[in-house]
Structures are given as C-alpha cells and as structure tokens.
C-alpha cells in the first residue's frame, strides 16, 4: 500500500510493456465483440468488460480506481457532476416513501436536491444541525430512514462534521452514512476510516483544480453489511427484475454491490456519465492534488489569521484558527489541514459584501471554489439564493458572508488584494 502522495501520481493505472505511460482516452461510444454470446455475458454481469460508454468506459474506470484507492474504498464510479454523485448515492438507497437524515449545513444545491427535488419524488427528509446533540440526532430518525448525509467540511459554512457521531447514529439504525468529502479531499481526510460508508466528491473542485471540467465521483467503503439489513434495502438484497433477476448484495458482496447497482440501474436509466475527455483532465489534476492542497491550506490559514482581527470583519470561519468552534474536530479528522476556503462576515451585510467583491483585483467573482486561482462570492445572492432567510440562518450563512477560495498564488498577494478591497468598504 502506497502513501496517498504516490497514489495521486500513479494510482489506478499500471501500464504493461509497451503500453501508454499516460492513461489512454477511450473516445468511443461502443465496443465490438465477436459473438452475441460474448456480449451477452457482459449484459448478464457474468464477465467484466465494456459495451457502451453510458454505463462504463475504460478511461473513466481507471480514474475512478485512483479515487477509490485514495479514499481507501472497494469500488468507485465517476458521474457527470458532484450533484449527480450525491443524487445517485442517495437514490441508490431510497425510493418513494423513504426518508433521509441530513446535516443542515451543506451546499445549497444539495440542500435543494434533498428538500425539494427528492421530496417531489416522495422521499422525505429531516435536517439537523451538524453540532446537534446525540439525542437530537437520534430523534431525527424514522423507521423508513434509509441513509444519513453530511459534508466533511460544509460549503460555504465551513462547519466540520463529527463523522464518528453521525456514523454511530446511522449504524444504530441500520443505515449507511454518506459523506461528501469534496473540500478536504482524501489528501486531508478519509471519512471511511472514521465510519463513513459511502463517500462522494464534486471532482470539479480540488481534484480537477483548474476549472477545466465538471464531474463527480462515488466511492463505496465496502464495510456496510447490506444483507444484515435486507428489509431496509430490497433494491440491493432482492432480485432486480430489470436486470436479469440479479441480487446485487449476494452476487457482488459488501465491496461491490452498491456501485454495481448504481451503474446497472441509475447510470443505465439516467445516463449522467462523465465524458472520457473530462476523466483524462481530471486525472491530470489528481496527479498534483497532494501538492496543491498543501498550498491551498497554507494560503487560507494566512488569510484567516489576517482577517481575524480586522476591524471591518465581524467574524471569520476557518477551522485552522485556534478559536474556531470546529478547530478541535478539525484537528481530529484533518490534522494536516482542511481546505483553502475561508468564509468571513463583513460589517455592513449585503452592501458591504458587494462593495468588497467589486473592489477585488486578483480574486475573481465566480460561482466556483477550489481552483488554482483565487475566487470569491457572496453565497446569499448566488449559490444559496434559493434558500429563505430562515434556511440561510439554519445553514449558518448570513447575508454579509463572503466565501473566498484561496488559490495557489502567493499568500502575500492574496492578502494584499483582500486588504485593499476591505479599505474600499
């Protein structure tokens, strides 16, 4: 087993003699076979191989294998976006009449996915504060709860999920914990080691790191015993009549059932596949992930310390600060750093935030984070604008909050840019 630094560079792909050193881009929609019987074995999941890129592609599988190795999982798949990854991960377990428990402090798009879109599908949800008591968390569960969801470091509130607490509660009720690990990446945190069962990513963010392609990933930790809770998960534990009567948990075991079902059912029917070209670019980003994360975190720490005592800043949220309420949890789960995103509330609310952002010269206003280039936004008027003031307050996102994603430029230049923008308020 190699360290993650080495896996970032070489994981997932070992070329044979005379084969390409870089992963090949298999830019083909379909694959040729000599006989119908050969192809039939693939459709019956009796043999491994490829027949149509909507389901699987060699380039995608190679990159998924690297991410799986980085997270310490047993199986993984790529999706067209991080939203697709989160939807697939939850919908692979839930159907009409089921229930999800989720942290309230999550990305606004995911909050909307769970509370609105999945609700239209008959899937109900209960949101809890990430720092709720064990009793409050326990009270959120129902007999029809099928999974628990949270973000390692929430976007943009930067709360830190107590993974062990949420995992213990999920497992007491016989359901898996799904953790979106986009912000820390497996370089800084591996949620499976702390009890998470499924890990998701928006690979658009740090994994790509260069704003080149949208994508997502799902990793199965391979530790959840589906058959022990067969009554809760009939989709995994009873024959799938839409796929030759296969019982996924029996045929593929704990390590492969979840991803196989997600591919054979959801990717087949919904088609949110990542393009092979995008997977190739994603892999280029992964090769330097361990180096970039260190710089992102160092720059964010320096900026957070600068903002901490600035008179025009009401508060700073960055778990690397000793007085941050999530510092202790961050030291437990992410002792080497969390991410490059700093959130801070300006004195003066929305108006001050707008003036600040308009005055930036180096950091660009973008609906993006985790890029090699610094960027920022005011979530209340952009990514989270679909949320009410009450929902924003519950998610810890006041109107004057600015989310600044520190790139890998000079920390001195980032701080100088922020300083002159603050002077303009």
């Amino acid at each position: 087993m190699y360290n993650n630094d080495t896996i970032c560079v070489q994981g997932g792909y070992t070329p044979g003699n005379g084969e390409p050193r870089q992963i090949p881009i298999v830019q083909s929609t379909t694959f040729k076979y000599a006989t119908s019987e050969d192809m039939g074995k693939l459709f019956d999941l009796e043999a491994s191989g490829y027949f149509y890129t909507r389901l699987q592609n060699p380039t995608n599988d190679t990159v998924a294998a690297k991410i799986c190795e980085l997270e310490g999982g047993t199986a993984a798949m790529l999706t067209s976006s991080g939203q697709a990854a989160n939807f697939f991960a939850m919908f692979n377990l839930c159907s009409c009449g089921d229930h999800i428990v989720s942290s309230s402090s999550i990305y606004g798009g995911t909050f909307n996915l769970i509370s609105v879109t999945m609700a239209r599908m008959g899937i109900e949800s209960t949101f809890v504060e990430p720092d709720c008591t064990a009793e409050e968390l326990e009270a959120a569960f129902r007999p029809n709860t099928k999974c628990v969801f949270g973000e390692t470091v929430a976007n943009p509130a930067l709360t830190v999920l107590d993974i062990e607490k949420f995992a213990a509660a999920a497992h007491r009720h016989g359901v898996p914990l799904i953790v979106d690990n986009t912000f820390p990446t497996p370089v800084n945190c591996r949620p499976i080691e702390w009890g998470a069962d499924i890990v998701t990513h928006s690979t658009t963010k740090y994994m790509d790191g260069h704003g080149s392609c949208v994508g997502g990933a799902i990793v199965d930790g391979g530790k959840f015993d589906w058959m022990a809770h067969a009554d809760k998960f009939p989709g995994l534990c009873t024959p799938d009549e839409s796929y030759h009567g296969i019982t996924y948990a029996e045929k593929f075991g704990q390590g492969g059932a979840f991803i196989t079902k997600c591919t054979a059912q959801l990717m087949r029917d919904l088609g949110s596949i990542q393009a092979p070209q995008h997977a190739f670019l994603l892999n280029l980003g992964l090769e330097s992930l361990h180096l970039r994360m260190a710089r992102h975190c160092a720059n964010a720490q320096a900026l957070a310390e600068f903002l901490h005592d600035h008179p025009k800043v009401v508060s700073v949220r960055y778990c690397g600060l000793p007085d941050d309420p999530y510092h202790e949890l961050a030291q437990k789960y992410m002792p080497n750093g969390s991410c490059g995103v700093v959130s801070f509330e300006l004195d003066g609310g929305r108006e001050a935030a707008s003036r600040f952002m308009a005055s930036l010269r180096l950091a660009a206003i973008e609906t993006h984070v985790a890029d090699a280039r610094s960027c920022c936004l005011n979530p209340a008027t952009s990514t989270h604008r679909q949320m009410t003031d009450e929902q924003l307050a519950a998610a810890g996102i006041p109107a004057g909050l600015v989310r600044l994603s520190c790139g890998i430029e000079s920390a001195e230049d980032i701080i100088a840019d922020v300083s002159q923008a603050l002077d303009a308020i």
Side-chain angles (χ1 to χ4, degrees), residues 124-146:
E124 297 181 323
S125 55
T126 299
F127 291 90
V128 296
E129 294 289 336
D131 49 357
C132 64
T133 65
E135 292 74 22
E136 289 169 334
L137 180 54
E138 192 74 17
F141 285 85
R142 302 178 187 173
N144 59 337
T145 300
K146 295 300 176 68

Side-chain angles (χ1 to χ4, degrees), residues 38-361:
D38 289 338
M39 182 175 284
K41 292 177 182 178
L42 300 176
F43 276 92
D44 289 342
L45 301 180
E46 297 293 341
S48 60
Y50 303 92
F51 52 86
Y52 198 60
T53 283
R54 186 177 81 242
L55 276 85
Q56 288 179 289
N57 176 280
T59 307
N60 292 20
D61 283 359
T62 297
V63 181
K66 175 179 284 190
I67 295 172
C68 184
E69 193 173 352
L70 285 168
E71 285 287 7
T74 57
M77 63 189 292
L78 299 187
T79 62
S80 58
S81 68
Q83 278 292 81
N86 282 333
F87 173 64
F88 275 24
M90 290 182 279
F91 196 57
N92 204 34
L93 302 172
C94 300
S95 59
C96 183
D98 288 336
H99 175 254
I100 294 168
V101 173
S102 174
S103 168
S104 61
S105 187
I106 56 176
Y107 170 59
T110 310
F111 185 96
N112 196 73
L113 167 67
I114 297 171
S115 65
V116 178
T117 302
M118 295 185 78
R120 290 176 181 158
M121 303 167 74
I123 300 169
E124 297 181 323
S125 55
T126 299
F127 291 90
V128 296
E129 294 289 336
D131 49 357
C132 64
T133 65
E135 292 74 22
E136 289 169 334
L137 180 54
E138 192 74 17
F141 285 85
R142 302 178 187 173
N144 59 337
T145 300
K146 295 300 176 68
C147 65
V148 179
F149 180 84
E151 295 178 1
T152 317
V153 176
N155 174 17
L158 299 184
T159 55
V160 176
L161 189 74
D162 190 340
I163 301 172
E164 286 191 318
K165 178 179 74 176
F166 275 74
H171 296 161
R172 278 195 301 272
H173 290 269
V175 301
L177 171 63
I178 302 170
V179 173
D180 184 328
N181 196 36
T182 295
F183 267 17
T185 82
V187 169
N188 286 336
C189 183
R190 291 174 24 132
I192 293 168
E193 294 179 350
W194 297 99
D197 301 290
I198 308 295
V199 173
T200 61
H201 285 276
S202 170
T203 62
T204 315
K205 308 306 189 297
Y206 287 117
M207 284 187 168
D208 167 16
H210 299 84
S212 65
C213 51
V214 175
I218 308 171
V219 181
D220 182 5
K223 296 180 179 180
F224 193 85
D225 189 346
W226 305 108
M227 292 303 293
H229 308 283
D231 59 322
K232 285 183 174 290
F233 305 105
L236 283 156
C237 302
T238 60
D240 177 9
E241 298 306 328
S242 78
Y243 217 101
H244 317 293
I246 283 175
T247 300
Y248 297 101
E250 288 181 352
K251 187 172 182 64
F252 300 101
Q254 291 179 204
F258 184 88
I259 294 296
T260 304
K261 176 181 180 292
C262 203
T263 301
Q265 284 186 357
L266 302 187
M267 194 62 81
R268 174 196 66 192
D269 294 344
L270 300 175
S272 300
I273 192 70
Q274 187 168 146
Q277 287 275 357
H278 284 191
F280 176 84
L281 293 172
L282 168 59
N283 187 63
L284 293 181
L286 287 169
E287 289 180 354
S288 63
L289 179 64
H290 57 300
L291 302 174
R292 290 184 288 105
M293 286 307 295
R295 183 60 173 261
H296 284 297
C297 292
N299 283 353
Q301 183 70 33
L303 176 63
E305 291 173 359
F306 165 78
L307 292 168
H308 186 265
D309 298 317
H310 198 284
K312 294 182 181 179
V313 176
V314 175
S315 62
V316 182
R317 304 180 188 181
Y318 190 69
C319 59
L321 294 173
D323 61 354
D324 186 90
Y326 295 95
H327 182 72
E328 186 175 343
L329 276 179
Q331 290 300 301
K332 173 181 177 179
Y333 294 120
M334 299 168 286
N336 297 319
S338 58
C339 65
V341 181
V342 179
S343 289
F344 51 99
E345 183 181 358
L346 295 173
D347 187 13
R350 292 174 189 260
E351 184 178 347
S354 296
R355 179 68 64 85
F356 169 81
M357 293 193 298
S359 302
L360 290 168
R361 298 167 184 165

